Amino acid sequence: GAVQREAVVSFPSHEARISAVRPIQERIWAAGAAAGRSDAWWPGIRDRGVAPALGDEADLVAVDSIGRLLVIEAKPADELKGLVWAPAQVRLYAELFASLVDANERASEVLNRMAAQRSALGMLDHRWKFQDNAKLRVVPVIAVGSGPLRLSPVALDRLALVAAALECNPPFAHRIDPLEVWLLDSKANPIEIW
């Protein structure tokens, strides 16, 4: 159940945002560098040593049937560069949302109120509910649109290699579940999840 598009964790100041985001970014970049890969396409190699950018806006936050908070990065099937770096992007977003839940004991209540607003508008079935804060899990998800590139093993193989490199530096937050990759059909329904 979709709860919010273009979702961003807000901070009281620019300095607070930097102090929260920078350690996560550095951990992600360090994991990529520690992989020791020299492939021309590898993030950081591809851009002549410049660490790839990491935004702060998740494409979608949603709730699943067991009440987990899904933090979703949507990618078109024909965006090879973005698709390969998507595990790092969604990892940052998941870390930020997990930090928000850890810092606010009423976070699941706030999320449930957001879901209730969408339900009142007829945009979400009322049965979707987030788990209580203590149990709330955050799931980084990459949703890959249908299209010809997805059929190429290069895109998903590279995505998997970047995801594996990130696993060497596990998330700071204990409540983050493993990355899920959803392959979508032409109507945006998951046809395969891994």
Side-chain angles (χ1 to χ4, degrees):
V3 175
Q4 181 67 43
R5 292 183 58 212
E6 307 299 333
V8 179
V9 174
S10 66
F11 294 92
S13 68
H14 177 71
E15 292 77 20
R17 181 191 176 284
I18 295 298
S19 68
V21 172
R22 185 167 289 144
I24 301 167
Q25 289 175 326
E26 289 173 355
R27 190 169 177 85
I28 289 169
W29 292 326
R37 299 198 60 107
S38 60
D39 309 78
W41 60 267
W42 189 258
I45 304 293
R46 165 186 63 220
D47 301 314
R48 296 181 179 87
V50 176
L54 290 166
D56 63 358
E57 185 174 87
D59 290 329
L60 182 70
V61 292
V63 58
D64 71 3
S65 61
I66 59 173
R68 300 181 305 168
L69 171 59
L70 307 177
V71 180
I72 302 171
E73 177 66 13
K75 291 294 184 188
D78 62 352
E79 188 185 311
L80 180 60
K81 183 178 177 181
L83 190 56
V84 169
W85 190 234
Q89 283 184 282
V90 77
R91 165 80 169 272
L92 175 65
Y93 308 151
E95 289 266 21
L96 291 174
F97 277 92
S99 295
L100 175 68
V101 173
D102 287 339
N104 183 348
E105 63 188 29
R106 297 179 60 210
S108 66
E109 180 184 322
V110 171
L111 290 165
N112 279 322
R113 282 200 314 260
M114 290 171 62
Q117 287 173 342
R118 290 186 71 86
S119 180
L121 293 170
M123 301 171 69
L124 182 67
D125 189 309
H126 70 280
R127 67 186 166 97
W128 298 102
K129 299 279 187 227
F130 289 95
Q131 295 169 341
D132 291 335
N133 240 53
K135 298 178 188 172
L136 187 58
R137 305 297 300 169
V138 178
V139 185
V141 176
I142 301 168
V144 183
S146 65
L149 182 62
R150 195 183 73 208
L151 302 177
S152 167
V154 173
L156 295 179
D157 286 349
R158 290 178 182 179
L159 180 152
L161 288 168
V162 170
L166 292 176
E167 289 177 13
C168 295
N169 273 351
F172 286 122
H174 72 282
R175 67 176 68 244
I176 297 178
D177 283 349
L179 172 70
E180 293 184 11
V181 178
W182 298 358
L183 305 181
L184 307 177
D185 65 15
S186 61
K187 294 182 179 179
N189 296 308
I191 53 174
E192 186 176 345
I193 298 176
W194 56 276

